[in-house]
Amino acid sequence: MPNKVALNDYQLKAMSTAFYPNVGANIEYVALGLGEAGELQGHIKKISRDDHGVITPQRRYLLLKELGDITWYIAAVCSEARLSMGDLLEYIPSNVSYPPTIEKVALGMGMPVGLIQHIVQGGHGRHAQYILPQPLANLLWSVAATGSFIQYSLDDILAENLHKLSTRKENDTLSGSGDDR
């Protein structure tokens, strides 16, 4: 797990690429973006169905990209709620082991995503900063756990995501759809 400073640095760099309506006052938009977890779950499902239980290099790459997208949205929810991403580490126990399969980890993403979206939808306003950290931390932990199954650390995921974003920024392709733009 990266340290607090590395996560805060990632948050600042990631948010420098934020390109959505009302940045800084649109937590609903970025909470919806956590639906990227569903795309990740779809790729994991396809490991069993299409890849016969083998994580192929192509699938590994797609999972890495989705993990980066989820992490970006975690940073964005933190920013919109005036939270420091590094502070999420306080909510992750150091002695928790990962579930035995990538499928179980991916299934576990649904609960924190749903809870985050429920908190945002419920309009908890300034209280959100007190109730969002735990589900955000759980989701961040799930990203790290999924990464471990494909031999990527959370540091690797953050670095790859920032590389992708800086390339898009240089190419003026931050807006649009699809990973390969």
Side-chain angles (χ1 to χ4, degrees), residues 10 12 55 65 87 102 122 133 154:
Y10 170 80
L12 287 172
I55 302 173
K65 295 293 188 189
D87 289 341
I102 193 171
L154 187 54

Side-chain angles (χ1 to χ4, degrees), residues 2-161:
N3 65 34
K4 186 175 183 171
V5 172
L7 284 172
N8 290 340
D9 184 55
Y10 170 80
Q11 182 180 2
L12 287 172
K13 289 176 180 174
M15 291 304 91
S16 74
T17 66
F19 186 82
Y20 57 89
N22 302 316
V23 173
N26 198 349
I27 195 168
E28 293 85 1
Y29 178 88
V30 293
L32 286 170
L34 292 173
E36 294 285 340
E39 291 187 36
L40 178 86
Q41 290 171 330
H43 285 297
I44 291 172
K45 178 188 73 172
K46 290 173 185 174
I47 292 169
S48 294
R49 186 189 72 198
D50 300 343
D51 303 334
H52 311 290
V54 175
I55 302 173
T56 64
Q58 180 183 4
R59 187 76 59 201
R60 183 175 180 255
Y61 176 75
L62 293 170
L63 292 171
L64 174 64
K65 295 293 188 189
E66 295 302 338
L67 290 169
D69 292 346
I70 295 165
T71 306
W72 189 92
Y73 280 105
I74 292 170
V77 170
C78 284
S79 293
E80 291 284 344
R82 309 295 185 256
L83 297 168
S84 163
M85 196 171 172
D87 289 341
L88 299 181
L89 293 176
E90 297 171 23
Y91 296 86
I92 301 173
S94 59
N95 60 347
V96 177
S97 60
Y98 296 143
T101 67
I102 193 171
E103 294 86 359
K104 288 188 185 286
V105 174
L107 286 169
M109 286 186 173
M111 187 177 293
V113 168
L115 185 53
I116 293 161
Q117 291 174 340
H118 176 74
I119 291 166
V120 169
Q121 182 265 339
H124 293 282
R126 58 181 190 209
H127 300 292
Q129 70 185 41
Y130 302 108
I131 53 182
L132 279 172
Q134 186 64 65
L136 285 166
N138 291 349
L139 185 56
L140 184 63
W141 179 88
S142 293
V143 167
T146 303
S148 74
F149 280 99
I150 58 170
Q151 288 76 52
Y152 285 111
S153 69
L154 187 54
D155 286 314
D156 296 332
I157 294 164
L158 300 177
E160 175 60 31
N161 186 251

